[in-house]
Amino acid sequence: MASPLLCLAAAALAVVAVLVSTTEAWLATPPPLPVLPIPSAPQLKWQRREVIMFFHFGMNTFTDSEWGTGTEDPSLFRPAALNATQWMDAARAAGASLVILVAKHHDGLCLWPSEYTAHSVRASPWRGGRGDVVREFVDAARARGVDAGLYLSPWDRHDERYGEEVAYNEYYEAQLHELLTGYGSVSEIWFDGAKGKNATNMTYHFQEWFQTVKQLQGSINIFSDDGPDVRWVGDEKGYAGTTCWSTVNRSMITIGEAGIEKYLNEGDPRGRDWVPPECDVSIRTGWFWHKNETAKPLSQLLEIYYNSVGRNCVLLLNAPPNSTGLVEDADIARLREFGAAVATIFGTDLAAGSEARASSERGAGFAARNVLDGRDGTYWAPTAEDGRRNGYWIELRLRRPGPGAQAFNVVRIQEHVALGQRVERHAVYVDGAPVANGTTVGHKRLHRLPRPVAGTTVRVWIAARRGPPLLSAVGLHYDPFVAADTM
């Protein structure tokens, strides 16, 4: 018979064992380390917008030109029916949550009553010389629940200080102060590197401007050829590279310099700076309104969407108001058609209700099923050891297999880019047969298949990566708008 002391000791050990096991059950698995660089909170918010809008409006609208001379008389600026609220309705119809106004283009006319130049709307007959397009723009945006951004051209063909390094840079910086302190929160500011071949030689103090912008509005995103927050994609077609990294080395980029387009288009897997690309393209041929131009057809806008948003970019779609100050009815109809088409395609996820399994799972909080929950903050993470030799995979077993299954022709894959961009090469299989492959994924990769398919299982294979892959979503969709022979 055991002694009372031995019984007491055994009981105590049992209690300790229960406490230890209970404590271990409470412990959560920590997330994996980031793969640097990673986005800032404003960059992450910007990436998730996916579609934003540009409004090119100014002196060029009234002179039927794209690049003004700077000699135009401000009296030409007279939009009789300007209604910025109508612009916002156009943006919302396209699904945009951010709108950017060209506050000053290369001709130098300021669309606000700047204190630093006479060449502004104050010198025009519009609103009796008391008008302010920037004010009407930001007020209309906020009233419609849309964030506002501004474009301020560095190249100024009107101002006499242009070419005088200190004087012009001071002038430009003063106007930055006006725009970023007088109109409330600005979500994005655009620095265009364009300049004519025969333009006056001028050194821009971009670094001073950038630091001033961040001092005045800490959560703003700055766009230029090299960011620092958002970069140009390298073309004005709205197409990113089939390989598209959010990372670059900013030291390799000079704003406005030719020959960097391919680097901007594809990014750099060894880049030390997180500067994701923005795809700027106009709904029409030109950036400004021209009477003889019409909007691109829906099929072309959808092609642009797949090659921008579907390649890890944000689409910046321009809709130029006309000389009365309104977006053309036909353009609004096309924007509405575009927004409705995107909603139709991606509003239904044919993967919903599937069962998900993977090569491994890091822990309870990183299960394969997280790719189906529709949330940005959750994701599948494998164990670090899994896949080092043979690759990682995640598989969806569809609920409606067999002949009655609904076919899909779009596969959507998304990374949890908050912890870095990782996927270097991937492939998609349906019932073991390859249907798509590619390199980078990033925030979103969309694969349109040559023809609709239906199957029992869909597997995404990660063949090469920078660290264990983290996928936040895998979705399946049907696109009825694009004919099979154009996909």
Side-chain angles (χ1 to χ4, degrees):
M1 181 177 180
S3 71
L5 286 175
L6 287 175
C7 291
L8 186 60
L13 288 172
V15 170
V16 169
V18 170
L19 289 174
V20 169
S21 63
T22 303
T23 302
E24 289 176 346
W26 291 341
L27 297 177
T29 303
L33 287 171
V35 171
L36 299 179
I38 60 174
S40 67
Q43 286 175 315
L44 200 55
K45 179 179 179 180
W46 170 88
Q47 184 87 62
R48 290 169 178 167
R49 294 181 187 277
E50 299 191 352
V51 176
I52 61 180
M53 288 283 294
F54 227 166
F55 290 95
H56 276 66
F57 182 67
M59 184 57 71
N60 294 336
T61 308
F62 300 86
T63 60
D64 195 28
S65 61
E66 285 290 303
W67 282 7
T69 64
T71 61
E72 299 89 353
D73 188 333
S75 66
L76 295 173
F77 185 86
R78 48 176 72 223
L82 191 149
N83 183 348
T85 297
Q86 189 238 20
W87 303 3
M88 301 309 140
D89 292 341
R92 292 191 56 151
S97 61
L98 167 65
V99 290
I100 300 174
L101 172 69
V102 174
K104 183 187 79 169
H105 204 249
H106 312 324
D107 57 83
L109 183 74
C110 299
L111 297 192
W112 78 102
S114 174
E115 295 295 325
Y116 299 97
T117 180
H119 199 58
S120 78
V121 289
R122 183 182 280 138
S124 80
W126 177 66
R127 304 276 196 256
R130 295 183 295 275
D132 187 338
V133 180
V134 176
R135 173 66 61 201
E136 295 191 24
F137 182 84
V138 298
D139 287 351
R142 293 186 184 109
R144 285 290 190 267
V146 179
D147 292 328
L150 297 170
Y151 167 122
L152 185 66
S153 172
W155 185 30
D156 190 320
R157 305 185 75 180
H158 173 83
D159 197 86
E160 61 185 12
R161 287 161 286 199
Y162 192 85
E164 299 177 25
E165 182 175 339
V166 173
Y168 182 75
N169 276 280
E170 289 178 344
Y171 166 64
Y172 189 93
E173 181 141 335
Q175 292 196 321
L176 282 177
H177 272 269
E178 285 185 315
L179 293 174
L180 297 180
T181 61
Y183 295 92
S185 176
V186 176
S187 295
E188 182 173 338
I189 188 159
W190 241 75
F191 292 95
D192 190 345
K195 184 165 65 173
K197 292 181 180 179
N198 299 319
T200 302
N201 187 42
M202 181 74 218
T203 299
Y204 302 134
H205 287 205
F206 280 112
Q207 297 312 311
E208 287 89 334
W209 297 350
F210 292 169
Q211 291 196 35
T212 295
V213 167
K214 290 294 188 179
Q215 182 188 80
L216 297 176
Q217 299 222 18
S219 62
I220 198 171
N221 282 315
I222 298 173
F223 170 99
S224 77
D225 287 351
D226 80 331
D229 302 304
V230 179
R231 78 177 191 262
W232 183 43
V233 77
D235 63 52
E236 294 183 347
K237 299 184 299 184
Y239 281 30
T242 53
T243 294
C244 187
W245 291 95
S246 292
T247 51
V248 293
N249 284 317
R250 293 186 61 214
S251 60
M252 296 178 63
I253 302 169
T254 299
I255 299 173
E257 183 178 85
I260 59 174
E261 291 82 3
K262 187 175 188 295
Y263 187 73
L264 295 173
N265 197 245
E266 297 182 356
D268 189 340
R270 294 173 295 280
R272 295 183 296 273
D273 305 298
W274 186 276
V275 191
E278 186 169 273
C279 289
D280 57 321
V281 63
S282 186
I283 192 175
R284 292 166 162 239
T285 303
W287 289 101
F288 287 89
W289 175 81
H290 305 287
K291 187 177 181 179
N292 63 344
E293 292 181 357
T294 57
K296 293 176 171 67
L298 175 62
S299 59
Q300 188 174 354
L301 293 180
L302 285 174
E303 183 76 11
I304 288 169
Y305 180 89
Y306 280 109
N307 287 294
S308 56
V309 176
R311 292 182 179 175
N312 186 40
C313 293
V314 168
L315 171 59
L316 174 57
L317 187 60
N318 177 66
N322 63 25
S323 56
T324 71
L326 298 173
V327 178
E328 294 275 2
D329 289 344
D331 291 1
I332 292 180
R334 185 55 44 79
L335 291 169
R336 185 175 293 112
E337 186 181 25
F338 167 72
V342 171
T344 296
I345 297 166
F346 298 100
T348 300
D349 185 357
L350 301 176
S354 301
E355 296 178 1
R357 66 189 190 100
S359 49
S360 68
E361 295 177 348
R362 181 179 175 87
F366 307 98
R369 65 175 177 273
N370 288 350
V371 301
L372 299 169
D373 65 9
R375 297 162 58 193
D376 290 323
T378 59
Y379 52 95
W380 162 64
T383 61
E385 294 76 18
D386 170 38
R388 283 181 173 170
R389 293 184 179 179
N390 301 316
Y392 302 85
W393 56 265
I394 187 167
E395 183 178 272
L396 306 182
R397 182 170 292 276
L398 305 182
R399 279 194 178 276
R400 293 176 291 178
Q406 188 167 350
F408 57 89
N409 56 13
V410 178
V411 179
R412 171 175 53 89
I413 310 170
Q414 297 184 237
E415 286 189 74
H416 184 68
V417 293
L419 292 177
Q421 189 176 353
R422 299 162 182 251
V423 177
E424 296 176 311
R425 193 169 69 253
H426 67 284
V428 181
Y429 298 83
V430 175
D431 291 346
V435 297
N437 63 80
T439 52
T440 50
V441 172
H443 169 71
K444 182 173 286 186
R445 184 64 182 261
L446 300 175
H447 286 290
R448 289 184 296 168
L449 308 183
R451 61 191 61 82
V453 298
T456 303
T457 62
V458 176
R459 175 174 288 198
V460 177
W461 188 273
I462 310 300
R465 63 276 159 201
R466 299 164 66 237
L470 309 178
L471 298 188
S472 61
V474 177
L476 307 173
H477 308 275
Y478 179 71
D479 180 350
F481 298 96
V482 184
D485 61 356
T486 66
M487 296 177 69

